[in-house]
Amino acid sequence: MTDVRAGDRARWAELAELIDDARRRYYVDDSPTLSDAEYDEAYSELVALEQRFPELTSMDSPTQSVGGQASEQFAPVEHLQRMLSLDNAFSADDVEAWAARVEKDLGSLPALLCELKVDGLAVDIVFENGRLRSMATRGDGRVGEDVTANSTLIPAIPQQLTGGTKAHPIPPLVEVRGEVYLPLAEFDALNAEQREMGLAEFANPRNAGAGSLRQRIDRRREDVAAARTPAAQARAEADLERALARIGRLRLVVHGVGEWQGHEPATQSEAYAALAGWGLPVSDRARVVEGLAAAREFIDFYGEHRHDVEHEIDGAVLKVDELALQGRLGSTSRAPRWAIAYKYPPEVVRTRLLDIRVGVGRTGRVTPFAVMQPIKVAGSTVEMATLHNASEVVRKGVLIGDIVFLRKAGDVIPEVVGPVLEARTGDERAFVMPTHCPECGTELAPEKEGDADIRCPNQRSCPAQLRERLFHLGSRGALDIEGLGYQAAVALLADGLVVDEGGLFALTSDDLQRSEFFTKAVKGERVLNANATKLLEQLQVATSRPLWRVLVALSIRHVGPTAAQSLARELRDLDVIASTPPEQLAAVEGVGGIIADSISEWFAVDWHREIVEQWRAAGVSLADEEVDEGPRPLEGMTFVITGTLPTLSRDQATEAVQKAGGKVSGSVSKKTSYVVVGENPGSKAEKAEALGVTILDEAGLLALLP
Ligand code: IVH
């Protein structure tokens, strides 16, 4: 296992503080201390550290909260009854020893309630006369944090219990315990959104969920109110919206009760039935069984099927079902004697390291990666894992041919942990970092002395860098050229149709005719196929995309969508950007010294300027038009677009809304004005319905436009 060194921990704390401070300045004071690139760099370093050492990822980490201060305090609340923890069993023997003790104390082994151990965040919810009075995190078991305000934002948590019956009347006071969790599907969707926005992904559902629950929504609202410029307000609003959307993804499963006034149930399973009847979410996987063999079967079943459950589980819990017997067994100061948690072993598997190869990225960075005998770990099949850089390979001590331990860091990113030393035969060999680029043969070198990364300096014509740049250029965050996927990029270069991105927009059907990828055989003749038609059509469309997309497409180091949008907004013209001195560029909001220098350096290179000239000659628009002063009936409204619309593409719909003064957001919240739904909508449509947000189809949207 990788050990966290003191140096890593200190660096983590330093980065976390830097980021928290920068966020406060940015969101609250609207006086950024870091440029976007510097912020992104610090943030990526923090994410990388946490991926390497998941134990560093605390709930207070800036990676686990949206914006604003990460370690904001909540008011303390004292639980009515102490929230105990659970004792753990790590083997069948441990479970047997627990059962033997229960049997000895009670004379026989009573019925056991078998449940899943949900990997989430424990909460305590008090209902008074059926009305939710408070919700608190577990805290130290006696005093937790007051998250009542957030409970109202989680649709899965009823604010009012209903459906009391004669057998199960709603008690005057009941304290319900459960686990708040982020379902795996919601975790994936959240991370997909993070990716789409170019943000770091969350390490695991537990952290993402805990961070979601512990957001200070009131502070986000204050940020909106306190913002002093429209830009700061827009950022604060977007953040508030995302924070609300994140909370709305959470679910609850009830797994116990504390204080219960009035008629008490006889068993825990009966308590669940009563709670379920009043509208509380109870797991439908819990089973009451007789005898230890049946309990073991339950444990084994979910050991096999732990990835088939809709949320993460880290074990199974056995509880004595009858409440009177629970009382007789009692508790230690830490945990009840009437329950035990069986923890499933962490998923580390062994597989053979077949090879270590190196990849060359868009900016020339050369990264070694492990190629392994494919193996299933934590729910998916893995055959490759990054090794980051040459010193990381040395630090892990792995040799090609080794059997290695493989795990998923934070259960998401596959990571080679280290070699199984006992399995060595002597036939293994050490990895040698190449001195020359595997794709173009150019000698590799670090960009500056002391860098851990080495790069291929042949940016102009290294096939790997060209391929990655071409592919990037067509991606959704850049020029969004549908026909320009990875394979198309490979074919364009391999068949010599372009020598670099400069020639892209001058491509003709005659050019594509020369490539097998872009043609098909019809009656013995090769004619253009659908790939070709789509590419030509989409290249044409891309010539009139907004300037910021062109900027991103140029692959200027550090220039991502945020910086590009600021530059386009302020300067409007690529020639103006090219000729603006770096000091002036750095003054543009969201652009700091690093980005400004990088832009100036980029335009100082002859072949870079040639690309721009070739694009200009091919009709690519390099300037944004003057702002359209047309009517803005959608001013102040926020739209979410989901599913495939019958005639408009997602981009066209977005641009139409923006042109009319509206905003388009990626997630639905109570503040969303309209959700525009097309075919095959995702969970956003359901969410809109749940929140009572008005749903439109494309025709409805068109009717709102000027
Ligand atoms: S019973 C006194 N049941 O695991 C009984 N806890 O490691 C205490 N947990 O703090 C809780 N699933 O947050 C119980 N089915 C389940 C559970 C569960 C998850 C959590 C709970 C507890 C922690 C102890």
Side-chain angles (χ1 to χ4, degrees), residues 410-494:
D411 267 348
V412 186
I413 297 140
E415 181 192 344
V416 173
V417 180
V420 180
L421 290 173
E422 314 82 87
R424 286 228 166 120
T425 60
D427 291 338
E428 300 78 11
R429 61 194 166 89
F431 164 70
V432 184
M433 190 71 178
T435 53
H436 291 77
C437 176
E439 301 239 10
C440 70
T442 306
E443 191 170 354
L444 303 173
E447 188 168 55
K448 357 182 242 309
E449 215 176 304
D451 277 1
D453 292 328
I454 57 168
R455 291 174 188 274
C456 166
N458 177 19
Q459 295 185 332
R460 182 172 196 181
S461 47
C462 169
Q465 295 183 59
L466 269 172
R467 191 169 65 225
E468 297 295 330
R469 282 210 303 274
L470 262 189
F471 173 61
H472 160 79
L473 180 166
S475 68
R476 285 175 66 183
L479 281 171
D480 196 9
I481 303 171
E482 221 188 295
L484 186 52
Y486 200 77
Q487 288 179 13
V490 170
L492 287 174
L493 291 162

Side-chain angles (χ1 to χ4, degrees), residues 84-86 115-118 122 138 179 255 317 319 336 338:
L84 295 175
S85 190
L86 287 169
E115 301 175 2
L116 296 181
K117 191 163 187 306
V118 186
R138 179 177 181 278
E179 208 77 3
H255 56 53
V317 186
K319 296 172 179 172
W338 47 263

Side-chain angles (χ1 to χ4, degrees), residues 585-643:
L585 287 177
V588 172
E589 191 190 308
V591 179
I594 296 176
I595 297 181
D597 287 344
S598 168
I599 294 170
S600 299
E601 281 161 23
W602 194 89
F603 280 105
V605 176
D606 290 348
W607 66 269
H608 287 164
R609 287 197 311 276
E610 269 166 41
I611 293 174
V612 174
E613 289 320 313
Q614 283 177 279
W615 285 11
R616 191 196 310 276
V620 177
S621 155
L622 303 177
D624 281 344
E625 309 233 317
E626 279 304 303
V627 243
D628 186 348
E629 297 293 347
R632 295 166 66 82
L634 306 187
E635 194 85 61
M637 297 185 193
T638 304
F639 287 71
V640 172
I641 304 168
T642 176

Side-chain angles (χ1 to χ4, degrees), residues 82-88 115-123 138 177-179 253-256 268 272 314 316-317 319 331 334-336 338-339 341 343:
R82 267 201 66 185
M83 286 178 84
L84 295 175
S85 190
L86 287 169
D87 280 334
N88 291 323
E115 301 175 2
L116 296 181
K117 191 163 187 306
V118 186
D119 199 7
L121 192 74
V123 292
R138 179 177 181 278
R177 271 86 190 260
E179 208 77 3
V253 62
V254 165
H255 56 53
Q268 181 132 357
Y272 288 170
D314 61 345
V317 186
K319 296 172 179 172
S331 305
R334 203 191 86 86
W338 47 263
K343 297 290 267 288

Side-chain angles (χ1 to χ4, degrees), residues 315-349:
V317 186
L318 306 185
K319 296 172 179 172
V320 168
D321 193 30
E322 198 177 317
L323 297 180
L325 297 180
Q326 290 187 1
R328 269 177 61 193
L329 288 163
S331 305
T332 66
S333 62
R334 203 191 86 86
R337 289 198 192 87
W338 47 263
I340 189 90
Y342 175 83
K343 297 290 267 288
Y344 292 120
E347 285 197 282
V348 178
V349 294

